[in-house]
Amino acid sequence: MKHRKQVKEAKRIVEKYCVTKGEKFRLKDYDPSDTDGVKSKQHAEDILERRVGLLSDMQEKLYAQDRWALLLIFQAMDAAGKDGAIKHVMSGVNPQGCDVHAFKAPSNEELDHDYLWRAHKCISSSACIRRF
């Protein structure tokens, strides 16, 4: 499948899960068992496998442009599947072009700020900024 078609298919799949108007978002309006047409684990793995080349290609373009970067923040309770999601979704990305920062229990200083403050603090420091 061509990259353009893959991007279009990915947009279609995630569109209804994008929160664009936070004040109108209600979690109860979403069915937790909804799979949006993904019929099985094998079907989901096939979709991810097709995306590997797309992610690799996009990473190369970001690197070549040396202007933009991508920030992904995975936040969830312990044992919620963050590691598995990262492993599967990021399987097409060259790890040499990535920086990973894990955050443990928040300090007293971090508790005095909103939940993204410590992530922002990290990416605003020169040690944490890195382009693909």
Side-chain angles (χ1 to χ4, degrees):
M1 186 182 287
K2 299 283 184 201
H3 289 327
R4 224 175 266 256
K5 272 182 128 177
Q6 289 180 347
V7 170
K8 190 174 181 179
E9 181 188 19
K11 279 183 179 180
R12 183 196 60 77
I13 290 172
V14 301
E15 187 174 30
K16 73 179 189 178
Y17 304 110
C18 292
V19 178
T20 56
K21 296 181 180 168
E23 66 277 354
K24 294 184 179 183
F25 174 80
R26 298 291 174 263
L27 193 57
K28 68 180 181 177
D29 296 337
Y30 293 84
D31 178 8
S33 65
D34 179 24
T35 62
D36 194 39
V38 178
K39 299 167 186 73
S40 66
K41 184 176 181 178
Q42 182 59 47
H43 185 214
E45 288 174 357
D46 291 344
I47 291 170
L48 285 173
E49 185 63 35
R50 289 195 311 262
R51 300 295 185 274
V52 170
L54 177 63
L55 285 174
S56 179
D57 185 51
M58 289 180 162
Q59 184 182 22
E60 286 178 21
K61 287 179 182 177
L62 282 172
Y63 180 82
Q65 291 175 350
D66 194 28
R67 183 169 177 198
W68 301 100
L70 176 67
L71 172 66
L72 300 174
I73 297 178
F74 289 81
Q75 180 182 351
M77 301 291 285
D78 287 347
K82 297 180 298 287
D83 289 338
I86 292 167
K87 178 183 170 189
H88 291 293
V89 174
M90 302 299 288
S91 61
V93 174
N94 182 344
Q96 289 180 322
C98 299
D99 285 333
V100 177
H101 301 277
F103 298 98
K104 301 299 180 192
S107 67
N108 288 334
E109 179 186 24
E110 292 168 340
L111 288 171
D112 288 338
H113 297 85
D114 66 71
Y115 77 101
L116 285 176
W117 180 80
R118 59 187 181 169
H120 184 267
K121 182 179 170 185
C122 178
I123 53 178
S124 63
S125 73
S126 61
C128 293
I129 296 175
R130 179 175 170 166
R131 289 194 165 106
F132 287 108

mmCIF file with all atom_site columns, all heavy atoms in Angstrom, residues 56-76:
data_model
loop_
_atom_site.group_PDB
_atom_site.id
_atom_site.type_symbol
_atom_site.label_atom_id
_atom_site.label_alt_id
_atom_site.label_comp_id
_atom_site.label_asym_id
_atom_site.label_entity_id
_atom_site.label_seq_id
_atom_site.pdbx_PDB_ins_code
_atom_site.Cartn_x
_atom_site.Cartn_y
_atom_site.Cartn_z
_atom_site.occupancy
_atom_site.B_iso_or_equiv
_atom_site.pdbx_formal_charge
_atom_site.auth_seq_id
_atom_site.auth_comp_id
_atom_site.auth_asym_id
_atom_site.auth_atom_id
_atom_site.pdbx_PDB_model_num
ATOM 1   N N   . SER A 1 56 ? 9.377  4.803  9.128  1.00 0.00 ? 56 SER A N   1
ATOM 2   C CA  . SER A 1 56 ? 10.785 4.914  8.781  1.00 0.00 ? 56 SER A CA  1
ATOM 3   C C   . SER A 1 56 ? 11.004 6.009  7.745  1.00 0.00 ? 56 SER A C   1
ATOM 4   O O   . SER A 1 56 ? 11.916 6.837  7.857  1.00 0.00 ? 56 SER A O   1
ATOM 5   C CB  . SER A 1 56 ? 11.297 3.573  8.255  1.00 0.00 ? 56 SER A CB  1
ATOM 6   O OG  . SER A 1 56 ? 12.651 3.670  7.898  1.00 0.00 ? 56 SER A OG  1
ATOM 7   N N   . ASP A 1 57 ? 10.153 6.043  6.732  1.00 0.00 ? 57 ASP A N   1
ATOM 8   C CA  . ASP A 1 57 ? 10.245 7.056  5.686  1.00 0.00 ? 57 ASP A CA  1
ATOM 9   C C   . ASP A 1 57 ? 10.028 8.455  6.252  1.00 0.00 ? 57 ASP A C   1
ATOM 10  O O   . ASP A 1 57 ? 10.760 9.400  5.921  1.00 0.00 ? 57 ASP A O   1
ATOM 11  C CB  . ASP A 1 57 ? 9.229  6.755  4.589  1.00 0.00 ? 57 ASP A CB  1
ATOM 12  C CG  . ASP A 1 57 ? 9.340  7.681  3.401  1.00 0.00 ? 57 ASP A CG  1
ATOM 13  O OD1 . ASP A 1 57 ? 10.463 7.837  2.872  1.00 0.00 ? 57 ASP A OD1 1
ATOM 14  O OD2 . ASP A 1 57 ? 8.306  8.261  3.010  1.00 0.00 ? 57 ASP A OD2 1
ATOM 15  N N   . MET A 1 58 ? 9.034  8.596  7.113  1.00 0.00 ? 58 MET A N   1
ATOM 16  C CA  . MET A 1 58 ? 8.756  9.908  7.713  1.00 0.00 ? 58 MET A CA  1
ATOM 17  C C   . MET A 1 58 ? 9.898  10.367 8.619  1.00 0.00 ? 58 MET A C   1
ATOM 18  O O   . MET A 1 58 ? 10.239 11.544 8.654  1.00 0.00 ? 58 MET A O   1
ATOM 19  C CB  . MET A 1 58 ? 7.445  9.872  8.481  1.00 0.00 ? 58 MET A CB  1
ATOM 20  C CG  . MET A 1 58 ? 6.243  9.790  7.587  1.00 0.00 ? 58 MET A CG  1
ATOM 21  S SD  . MET A 1 58 ? 4.733  9.760  8.578  1.00 0.00 ? 58 MET A SD  1
ATOM 22  C CE  . MET A 1 58 ? 3.542  10.196 7.342  1.00 0.00 ? 58 MET A CE  1
ATOM 23  N N   . GLN A 1 59 ? 10.506 9.432  9.348  1.00 0.00 ? 59 GLN A N   1
ATOM 24  C CA  . GLN A 1 59 ? 11.633 9.791  10.205 1.00 0.00 ? 59 GLN A CA  1
ATOM 25  C C   . GLN A 1 59 ? 12.804 10.291 9.363  1.00 0.00 ? 59 GLN A C   1
ATOM 26  O O   . GLN A 1 59 ? 13.458 11.270 9.714  1.00 0.00 ? 59 GLN A O   1
ATOM 27  C CB  . GLN A 1 59 ? 12.061 8.608  11.065 1.00 0.00 ? 59 GLN A CB  1
ATOM 28  C CG  . GLN A 1 59 ? 13.172 8.971  12.038 1.00 0.00 ? 59 GLN A CG  1
ATOM 29  C CD  . GLN A 1 59 ? 13.647 7.799  12.872 1.00 0.00 ? 59 GLN A CD  1
ATOM 30  O OE1 . GLN A 1 59 ? 13.482 6.656  12.504 1.00 0.00 ? 59 GLN A OE1 1
ATOM 31  N NE2 . GLN A 1 59 ? 14.232 8.100  14.006 1.00 0.00 ? 59 GLN A NE2 1
ATOM 32  N N   . GLU A 1 60 ? 13.061 9.640  8.234  1.00 0.00 ? 60 GLU A N   1
ATOM 33  C CA  . GLU A 1 60 ? 14.141 10.080 7.348  1.00 0.00 ? 60 GLU A CA  1
ATOM 34  C C   . GLU A 1 60 ? 13.884 11.491 6.830  1.00 0.00 ? 60 GLU A C   1
ATOM 35  O O   . GLU A 1 60 ? 14.807 12.303 6.733  1.00 0.00 ? 60 GLU A O   1
ATOM 36  C CB  . GLU A 1 60 ? 14.291 9.118  6.171  1.00 0.00 ? 60 GLU A CB  1
ATOM 37  C CG  . GLU A 1 60 ? 14.922 7.803  6.540  1.00 0.00 ? 60 GLU A CG  1
ATOM 38  C CD  . GLU A 1 60 ? 15.015 6.845  5.367  1.00 0.00 ? 60 GLU A CD  1
ATOM 39  O OE1 . GLU A 1 60 ? 14.974 7.307  4.199  1.00 0.00 ? 60 GLU A OE1 1
ATOM 40  O OE2 . GLU A 1 60 ? 15.142 5.638  5.611  1.00 0.00 ? 60 GLU A OE2 1
ATOM 41  N N   . LYS A 1 61 ? 12.639 11.799 6.501  1.00 0.00 ? 61 LYS A N   1
ATOM 42  C CA  . LYS A 1 61 ? 12.305 13.141 6.006  1.00 0.00 ? 61 LYS A CA  1
ATOM 43  C C   . LYS A 1 61 ? 12.491 14.190 7.103  1.00 0.00 ? 61 LYS A C   1
ATOM 44  O O   . LYS A 1 61 ? 13.015 15.281 6.845  1.00 0.00 ? 61 LYS A O   1
ATOM 45  C CB  . LYS A 1 61 ? 10.876 13.176 5.471  1.00 0.00 ? 61 LYS A CB  1
ATOM 46  C CG  . LYS A 1 61 ? 10.736 12.448 4.156  1.00 0.00 ? 61 LYS A CG  1
ATOM 47  C CD  . LYS A 1 61 ? 9.319  12.473 3.656  1.00 0.00 ? 61 LYS A CD  1
ATOM 48  C CE  . LYS A 1 61 ? 9.226  11.682 2.353  1.00 0.00 ? 61 LYS A CE  1
ATOM 49  N NZ  . LYS A 1 61 ? 7.879  11.591 1.837  1.00 0.00 ? 61 LYS A NZ  1
ATOM 50  N N   . LEU A 1 62 ? 12.069 13.877 8.324  1.00 0.00 ? 62 LEU A N   1
ATOM 51  C CA  . LEU A 1 62 ? 12.275 14.807 9.431  1.00 0.00 ? 62 LEU A CA  1
ATOM 52  C C   . LEU A 1 62 ? 13.763 15.053 9.653  1.00 0.00 ? 62 LEU A C   1
ATOM 53  O O   . LEU A 1 62 ? 14.195 16.182 9.875  1.00 0.00 ? 62 LEU A O   1
ATOM 54  C CB  . LEU A 1 62 ? 11.652 14.265 10.720 1.00 0.00 ? 62 LEU A CB  1
ATOM 55  C CG  . LEU A 1 62 ? 10.150 14.388 10.863 1.00 0.00 ? 62 LEU A CG  1
ATOM 56  C CD1 . LEU A 1 62 ? 9.672  13.642 12.097 1.00 0.00 ? 62 LEU A CD1 1
ATOM 57  C CD2 . LEU A 1 62 ? 9.723  15.841 10.930 1.00 0.00 ? 62 LEU A CD2 1
ATOM 58  N N   . TYR A 1 63 ? 14.548 14.001 9.583  1.00 0.00 ? 63 TYR A N   1
ATOM 59  C CA  . TYR A 1 63 ? 15.990 14.117 9.783  1.00 0.00 ? 63 TYR A CA  1
ATOM 60  C C   . TYR A 1 63 ? 16.611 14.975 8.681  1.00 0.00 ? 63 TYR A C   1
ATOM 61  O O   . TYR A 1 63 ? 17.433 15.855 8.938  1.00 0.00 ? 63 TYR A O   1
ATOM 62  C CB  . TYR A 1 63 ? 16.639 12.726 9.812  1.00 0.00 ? 63 TYR A CB  1
ATOM 63  C CG  . TYR A 1 63 ? 18.127 12.786 10.011 1.00 0.00 ? 63 TYR A CG  1
ATOM 64  C CD1 . TYR A 1 63 ? 18.661 12.943 11.287 1.00 0.00 ? 63 TYR A CD1 1
ATOM 65  C CD2 . TYR A 1 63 ? 18.999 12.686 8.932  1.00 0.00 ? 63 TYR A CD2 1
ATOM 66  C CE1 . TYR A 1 63 ? 20.028 13.013 11.485 1.00 0.00 ? 63 TYR A CE1 1
ATOM 67  C CE2 . TYR A 1 63 ? 20.371 12.755 9.124  1.00 0.00 ? 63 TYR A CE2 1
ATOM 68  C CZ  . TYR A 1 63 ? 20.881 12.916 10.393 1.00 0.00 ? 63 TYR A CZ  1
ATOM 69  O OH  . TYR A 1 63 ? 22.231 12.983 10.587 1.00 0.00 ? 63 TYR A OH  1
ATOM 70  N N   . ALA A 1 64 ? 16.214 14.721 7.443  1.00 0.00 ? 64 ALA A N   1
ATOM 71  C CA  . ALA A 1 64 ? 16.780 15.452 6.312  1.00 0.00 ? 64 ALA A CA  1
ATOM 72  C C   . ALA A 1 64 ? 16.443 16.943 6.380  1.00 0.00 ? 64 ALA A C   1
ATOM 73  O O   . ALA A 1 64 ? 17.269 17.790 6.030  1.00 0.00 ? 64 ALA A O   1
ATOM 74  C CB  . ALA A 1 64 ? 16.266 14.861 4.999  1.00 0.00 ? 64 ALA A CB  1
ATOM 75  N N   . GLN A 1 65 ? 15.243 17.273 6.828  1.00 0.00 ? 65 GLN A N   1
ATOM 76  C CA  . GLN A 1 65 ? 14.846 18.677 6.923  1.00 0.00 ? 65 GLN A CA  1
ATOM 77  C C   . GLN A 1 65 ? 15.532 19.392 8.089  1.00 0.00 ? 65 GLN A C   1
ATOM 78  O O   . GLN A 1 65 ? 15.745 20.596 8.048  1.00 0.00 ? 65 GLN A O   1
ATOM 79  C CB  . GLN A 1 65 ? 13.332 18.800 7.072  1.00 0.00 ? 65 GLN A CB  1
ATOM 80  C CG  . GLN A 1 65 ? 12.588 18.410 5.834  1.00 0.00 ? 65 GLN A CG  1
ATOM 81  C CD  . GLN A 1 65 ? 11.080 18.426 6.052  1.00 0.00 ? 65 GLN A CD  1
ATOM 82  O OE1 . GLN A 1 65 ? 10.580 18.557 7.164  1.00 0.00 ? 65 GLN A OE1 1
ATOM 83  N NE2 . GLN A 1 65 ? 10.344 18.277 4.968  1.00 0.00 ? 65 GLN A NE2 1
ATOM 84  N N   . ASP A 1 66 ? 15.849 18.651 9.154  1.00 0.00 ? 66 ASP A N   1
ATOM 85  C CA  . ASP A 1 66 ? 16.521 19.186 10.340 1.00 0.00 ? 66 ASP A CA  1
ATOM 86  C C   . ASP A 1 66 ? 15.831 20.444 10.871 1.00 0.00 ? 66 ASP A C   1
ATOM 87  O O   . ASP A 1 66 ? 16.466 21.408 11.252 1.00 0.00 ? 66 ASP A O   1
ATOM 88  C CB  . ASP A 1 66 ? 17.989 19.476 10.043 1.00 0.00 ? 66 ASP A CB  1
ATOM 89  C CG  . ASP A 1 66 ? 18.793 19.697 11.324 1.00 0.00 ? 66 ASP A CG  1
ATOM 90  O OD1 . ASP A 1 66 ? 18.402 19.139 12.363 1.00 0.00 ? 66 ASP A OD1 1
ATOM 91  O OD2 . ASP A 1 66 ? 19.785 20.434 11.277 1.00 0.00 ? 66 ASP A OD2 1
ATOM 92  N N   . ARG A 1 67 ? 14.515 20.430 10.837 1.00 0.00 ? 67 ARG A N   1
ATOM 93  C CA  . ARG A 1 67 ? 13.759 21.586 11.301 1.00 0.00 ? 67 ARG A CA  1
ATOM 94  C C   . ARG A 1 67 ? 12.689 21.212 12.322 1.00 0.00 ? 67 ARG A C   1
ATOM 95  O O   . ARG A 1 67 ? 12.399 21.967 13.230 1.00 0.00 ? 67 ARG A O   1
ATOM 96  C CB  . ARG A 1 67 ? 13.114 22.269 10.105 1.00 0.00 ? 67 ARG A CB  1
ATOM 97  C CG  . ARG A 1 67 ? 12.380 23.517 10.492 1.00 0.00 ? 67 ARG A CG  1
ATOM 98  C CD  . ARG A 1 67 ? 11.965 24.331 9.324  1.00 0.00 ? 67 ARG A CD  1
ATOM 99  N NE  . ARG A 1 67 ? 11.215 25.476 9.822  1.00 0.00 ? 67 ARG A NE  1
ATOM 100 C CZ  . ARG A 1 67 ? 10.437 26.202 9.094  1.00 0.00 ? 67 ARG A CZ  1
ATOM 101 N NH1 . ARG A 1 67 ? 10.311 25.941 7.823  1.00 0.00 ? 67 ARG A NH1 1
ATOM 102 N NH2 . ARG A 1 67 ? 9.784  27.217 9.608  1.00 0.00 ? 67 ARG A NH2 1
ATOM 103 N N   . TRP A 1 68 ? 12.070 20.079 12.140 1.00 0.00 ? 68 TRP A N   1
ATOM 104 C CA  . TRP A 1 68 ? 10.952 19.666 12.972 1.00 0.00 ? 68 TRP A CA  1
ATOM 105 C C   . TRP A 1 68 ? 11.302 18.420 13.759 1.00 0.00 ? 68 TRP A C   1
ATOM 106 O O   . TRP A 1 68 ? 12.191 17.678 13.393 1.00 0.00 ? 68 TRP A O   1
ATOM 107 C CB  . TRP A 1 68 ? 9.721  19.372 12.109 1.00 0.00 ? 68 TRP A CB  1
ATOM 108 C CG  . TRP A 1 68 ? 9.284  20.542 11.305 1.00 0.00 ? 68 TRP A CG  1
ATOM 109 C CD1 . TRP A 1 68 ? 9.542  20.767 9.983  1.00 0.00 ? 68 TRP A CD1 1
ATOM 110 C CD2 . TRP A 1 68 ? 8.547  21.674 11.757 1.00 0.00 ? 68 TRP A CD2 1
ATOM 111 N NE1 . TRP A 1 68 ? 9.005  21.957 9.582  1.00 0.00 ? 68 TRP A NE1 1
ATOM 112 C CE2 . TRP A 1 68 ? 8.375  22.534 10.656 1.00 0.00 ? 68 TRP A CE2 1
ATOM 113 C CE3 . TRP A 1 68 ? 8.003  22.034 12.972 1.00 0.00 ? 68 TRP A CE3 1
ATOM 114 C CZ2 . TRP A 1 68 ? 7.697  23.741 10.750 1.00 0.00 ? 68 TRP A CZ2 1
ATOM 115 C CZ3 . TRP A 1 68 ? 7.317  23.234 13.056 1.00 0.00 ? 68 TRP A CZ3 1
ATOM 116 C CH2 . TRP A 1 68 ? 7.171  24.062 11.965 1.00 0.00 ? 68 TRP A CH2 1
ATOM 117 N N   . ALA A 1 69 ? 10.539 18.181 14.804 1.00 0.00 ? 69 ALA A N   1
ATOM 118 C CA  . ALA A 1 69 ? 10.688 16.971 15.607 1.00 0.00 ? 69 ALA A CA  1
ATOM 119 C C   . ALA A 1 69 ? 9.296  16.524 16.032 1.00 0.00 ? 69 ALA A C   1
ATOM 120 O O   . ALA A 1 69 ? 8.316  17.236 15.844 1.00 0.00 ? 69 ALA A O   1
ATOM 121 C CB  . ALA A 1 69 ? 11.557 17.238 16.830 1.00 0.00 ? 69 ALA A CB  1
ATOM 122 N N   . LEU A 1 70 ? 9.227  15.351 16.572 1.00 0.00 ? 70 LEU A N   1
ATOM 123 C CA  . LEU A 1 70 ? 7.959  14.784 17.019 1.00 0.00 ? 70 LEU A CA  1
ATOM 124 C C   . LEU A 1 70 ? 8.078  14.475 18.503 1.00 0.00 ? 70 LEU A C   1
ATOM 125 O O   . LEU A 1 70 ? 9.048  13.860 18.939 1.00 0.00 ? 70 LEU A O   1
ATOM 126 C CB  . LEU A 1 70 ? 7.662  13.508 16.232 1.00 0.00 ? 70 LEU A CB  1
ATOM 127 C CG  . LEU A 1 70 ? 6.431  12.718 16.625 1.00 0.00 ? 70 LEU A CG  1
ATOM 128 C CD1 . LEU A 1 70 ? 5.165  13.516 16.308 1.00 0.00 ? 70 LEU A CD1 1
ATOM 129 C CD2 . LEU A 1 70 ? 6.402  11.389 15.885 1.00 0.00 ? 70 LEU A CD2 1
ATOM 130 N N   . LEU A 1 71 ? 7.094  14.904 19.264 1.00 0.00 ? 71 LEU A N   1
ATOM 131 C CA  . LEU A 1 71 ? 7.055  14.634 20.696 1.00 0.00 ? 71 LEU A CA  1
ATOM 132 C C   . LEU A 1 71 ? 5.889  13.707 20.982 1.00 0.00 ? 71 LEU A C   1
ATOM 133 O O   . LEU A 1 71 ? 4.755  14.011 20.638 1.00 0.00 ? 71 LEU A O   1
ATOM 134 C CB  . LEU A 1 71 ? 6.883  15.940 21.482 1.00 0.00 ? 71 LEU A CB  1
ATOM 135 C CG  . LEU A 1 71 ? 6.634  15.800 22.985 1.00 0.00 ? 71 LEU A CG  1
ATOM 136 C CD1 . LEU A 1 71 ? 7.860  15.201 23.668 1.00 0.00 ? 71 LEU A CD1 1
ATOM 137 C CD2 . LEU A 1 71 ? 6.283  17.151 23.579 1.00 0.00 ? 71 LEU A CD2 1
ATOM 138 N N   . LEU A 1 72 ? 6.178  12.581 21.597 1.00 0.00 ? 72 LEU A N   1
ATOM 139 C CA  . LEU A 1 72 ? 5.139  11.642 22.018 1.00 0.00 ? 72 LEU A CA  1
ATOM 140 C C   . LEU A 1 72 ? 5.208  11.524 23.527 1.00 0.00 ? 72 LEU A C   1
ATOM 141 O O   . LEU A 1 72 ? 6.279  11.297 24.085 1.00 0.00 ? 72 LEU A O   1
ATOM 142 C CB  . LEU A 1 72 ? 5.358  10.258 21.400 1.00 0.00 ? 72 LEU A CB  1
ATOM 143 C CG  . LEU A 1 72 ? 5.347  10.179 19.882 1.00 0.00 ? 72 LEU A CG  1
ATOM 144 C CD1 . LEU A 1 72 ? 5.728  8.773  19.430 1.00 0.00 ? 72 LEU A CD1 1
ATOM 145 C CD2 . LEU A 1 72 ? 3.985  10.549 19.346 1.00 0.00 ? 72 LEU A CD2 1
ATOM 146 N N   . ILE A 1 73 ? 4.069  11.660 24.169 1.00 0.00 ? 73 ILE A N   1
ATOM 147 C CA  . ILE A 1 73 ? 4.007  11.492 25.620 1.00 0.00 ? 73 ILE A CA  1
ATOM 148 C C   . ILE A 1 73 ? 3.009  10.377 25.908 1.00 0.00 ? 73 ILE A C   1
ATOM 149 O O   . ILE A 1 73 ? 1.849  10.459 25.525 1.00 0.00 ? 73 ILE A O   1
ATOM 150 C CB  . ILE A 1 73 ? 3.578  12.795 26.325 1.00 0.00 ? 73 ILE A CB  1
ATOM 151 C CG1 . ILE A 1 73 ? 4.623  13.884 26.078 1.00 0.00 ? 73 ILE A CG1 1
ATOM 152 C CG2 . ILE A 1 73 ? 3.387  12.548 27.821 1.00 0.00 ? 73 ILE A CG2 1
ATOM 153 C CD1 . ILE A 1 73 ? 4.271  15.221 26.676 1.00 0.00 ? 73 ILE A CD1 1
ATOM 154 N N   . PHE A 1 74 ? 3.500  9.326  26.549 1.00 0.00 ? 74 PHE A N   1
ATOM 155 C CA  . PHE A 1 74 ? 2.651  8.212  26.960 1.00 0.00 ? 74 PHE A CA  1
ATOM 156 C C   . PHE A 1 74 ? 2.445  8.348  28.456 1.00 0.00 ? 74 PHE A C   1
ATOM 157 O O   . PHE A 1 74 ? 3.393  8.276  29.218 1.00 0.00 ? 74 PHE A O   1
ATOM 158 C CB  . PHE A 1 74 ? 3.324  6.865  26.645 1.00 0.00 ? 74 PHE A CB  1
ATOM 159 C CG  . PHE A 1 74 ? 3.388  6.543  25.185 1.00 0.00 ? 74 PHE A CG  1
ATOM 160 C CD1 . PHE A 1 74 ? 4.367  7.091  24.374 1.00 0.00 ? 74 PHE A CD1 1
ATOM 161 C CD2 . PHE A 1 74 ? 2.469  5.675  24.613 1.00 0.00 ? 74 PHE A CD2 1
ATOM 162 C CE1 . PHE A 1 74 ? 4.417  6.793  23.029 1.00 0.00 ? 74 PHE A CE1 1
ATOM 163 C CE2 . PHE A 1 74 ? 2.512  5.374  23.271 1.00 0.00 ? 74 PHE A CE2 1
ATOM 164 C CZ  . PHE A 1 74 ? 3.488  5.931  22.475 1.00 0.00 ? 74 PHE A CZ  1
ATOM 165 N N   . GLN A 1 75 ? 1.210  8.546  28.860 1.00 0.00 ? 75 GLN A N   1
ATOM 166 C CA  . GLN A 1 75 ? 0.915  8.681  30.274 1.00 0.00 ? 75 GLN A CA  1
ATOM 167 C C   . GLN A 1 75 ? -0.185 7.704  30.642 1.00 0.00 ? 75 GLN A C   1
ATOM 168 O O   . GLN A 1 75 ? -1.247 7.681  30.007 1.00 0.00 ? 75 GLN A O   1
ATOM 169 C CB  . GLN A 1 75 ? 0.468  10.097 30.616 1.00 0.00 ? 75 GLN A CB  1
ATOM 170 C CG  . GLN A 1 75 ? 0.156  10.251 32.077 1.00 0.00 ? 75 GLN A CG  1
ATOM 171 C CD  . GLN A 1 75 ? -0.346 11.645 32.426 1.00 0.00 ? 75 GLN A CD  1
ATOM 172 O OE1 . GLN A 1 75 ? -0.305 12.547 31.605 1.00 0.00 ? 75 GLN A OE1 1
ATOM 173 N NE2 . GLN A 1 75 ? -0.820 11.806 33.633 1.00 0.00 ? 75 GLN A NE2 1
ATOM 174 N N   . ALA A 1 76 ? 0.085  6.887  31.640 1.00 0.00 ? 76 ALA A N   1
ATOM 175 C CA  . ALA A 1 76 ? -0.916 5.938  32.121 1.00 0.00 ? 76 ALA A CA  1
ATOM 176 C C   . ALA A 1 76 ? -0.427 5.358  33.443 1.00 0.00 ? 76 ALA A C   1
ATOM 177 O O   . ALA A 1 76 ? 0.727  5.526  33.824 1.00 0.00 ? 76 ALA A O   1
ATOM 178 C CB  . ALA A 1 76 ? -1.137 4.821  31.107 1.00 0.00 ? 76 ALA A CB  1
#
